[in-house]
């Protein structure tokens, strides 16, 4: 925590019904552990293919963020157990400890231990944003269930835009997400449009060990068999 954070603490914020922002939820040690694991997940695959990859959209466009998946591999707009748009090999496994972290996140965001206990994520999407990367407003709707999405931030801060469930137009709320911040959205907000219009370069804590860019780890429940 910086001196300015201590003088001006960032309070818990409800972005919408079922959507909660908990600033500084992960301490520095937990952030460092998560960063180490993100680097392992992002390593070059045995086939020689990069772990972090730009996803190609059906329109032919290429996403500016780079992604690696755990548990289930996402490509627009479905999941599979293999990297179908890459080397065809198996997706990286979803680690049990990440599920435990997700359960703690849901319990604390909703102040409901039973909601946390019931949460069983089996997907993690790890997105890396360089200083130029963006994410347009979209819904997380490729999962078969509507359990909450857990979102964790590492590295540079960003502007996170959280919108409504009907379309990409206003109303929306812009909030600055910093390293260690948690956002959980479920219930009435589970299908809210959301995105990242801007990264704020040079805002990461040097003690984290991520020189530049932002990592975002989102946990979801697939609702899929197999």
């Amino acid at each position: 925590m910086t001196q300015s954070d201590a003088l001006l603490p960032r309070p818990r914020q409800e972005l919408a019904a079922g959507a909660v922002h908990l600033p500084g939820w992960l301490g520095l040690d937990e952030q460092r552990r998560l960063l180490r694991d993100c680097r392992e997940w992002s390593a070059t695959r045995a086939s020689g293919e990069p772990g972090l990859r730009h996803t190609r959209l059906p329109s032919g466009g290429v996403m500016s963020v780079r992604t690696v998946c755990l548990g289930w591999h996402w490509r627009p707009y479905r999941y599979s157990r293999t990297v179908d748009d890459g080397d065809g090999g198996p997706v990286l496994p979803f680690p049990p400890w990440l599920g435990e972290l997700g359960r703690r996140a849901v319990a604390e965001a909703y102040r409901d231990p039973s909601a946390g206990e019931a949460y069983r994520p089996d997907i993690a999407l790890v997105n890396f944003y360089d200083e130029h990367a963006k994410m347009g407003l979209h819904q997380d709707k490729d999962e078969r269930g509507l359990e909450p999405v857990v979102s964790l931030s590492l590295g540079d801060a960003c502007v996170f835009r959280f919108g409504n469930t009907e379309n990409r137009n206003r109303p929306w709320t812009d909030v600055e997400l910093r390293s260690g911040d948690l956002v959980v959205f479920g219930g009435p907000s589970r299908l809210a449009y959301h995105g990242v219009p801007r990264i704020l370069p040079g805002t990461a804590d040097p003690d984290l060990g991520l020189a530049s860019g932002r990592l975002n780890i989102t946990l979801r429940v697939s609702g899929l068999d197999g």
Side-chain angles (χ1 to χ4, degrees):
M1 178 180 290
T2 66
Q3 184 177 11
S4 60
D5 287 336
L7 293 173
L8 297 171
R10 297 179 298 145
R12 168 195 182 96
Q13 181 181 5
E14 185 171 299
L15 305 177
V20 181
H21 171 213
L22 294 182
W25 186 71
L26 286 175
L28 184 58
D29 286 345
E30 286 186 296
Q31 292 178 53
R32 285 171 169 163
R33 179 203 172 165
L34 192 52
L35 176 60
R36 286 195 299 268
D37 285 304
C38 284
R39 284 176 168 148
E40 290 184 10
W41 300 328
S42 304
T44 301
R45 292 170 64 90
S47 65
E49 180 175 294
L52 279 173
R53 304 165 59 253
H54 292 283
T55 299
R56 184 171 295 277
L57 301 169
S59 64
V62 177
M63 295 177 66
S64 59
V65 303
R66 288 182 287 158
T67 305
V68 63
C69 304
L70 312 178
W72 290 87
H73 180 74
W74 178 80
R75 60 178 295 192
Y77 294 99
R78 64 183 181 84
Y79 287 105
S80 65
R81 287 295 197 185
T82 52
V83 186
D84 297 342
D85 54 349
D87 62 10
V91 67
L92 294 174
F94 183 92
W97 69 263
L98 203 51
E100 290 295 334
L101 186 66
R103 282 185 279 280
R104 179 160 66 93
V106 169
E108 294 185 22
Y110 291 152
R111 293 172 171 157
D112 184 349
S114 63
E117 181 59 32
Y119 189 59
R120 290 290 183 272
D122 58 346
I123 299 168
L125 266 58
V126 180
N127 290 324
F128 178 74
Y129 294 74
D130 65 23
E131 61 182 302
H132 305 294
K134 301 177 181 180
M135 182 77 74
L137 286 172
H138 65 283
Q139 294 173 301
D140 291 344
K141 61 180 182 179
D142 297 327
E143 301 77 32
R144 291 188 180 173
L146 290 177
E147 289 83 359
V149 172
V150 169
S151 173
L152 298 161
S153 295
L154 296 176
D156 282 337
C158 76
V159 176
F160 177 63
R161 180 162 292 170
F162 196 79
N164 63 83
T165 59
E166 301 301 320
N167 52 54
R168 294 179 175 85
N169 302 326
R170 293 180 185 273
W172 62 55
T173 298
D174 283 351
V175 60
E176 182 179 305
L177 297 184
R178 302 180 191 174
S179 194
D181 283 9
L182 165 69
V183 174
V184 176
F185 56 97
S189 292
R190 174 59 178 78
L191 295 179
Y193 284 88
H194 58 284
V196 176
R198 187 158 59 100
I199 299 298
L200 305 175
T203 52
D205 183 348
D207 290 336
L208 174 63
L210 183 60
S212 64
R214 172 182 184 253
L215 281 162
N216 175 228
I217 302 94
T218 64
L219 310 184
R220 302 112 182 270
V221 177
S222 72
L224 298 167
D225 297 324

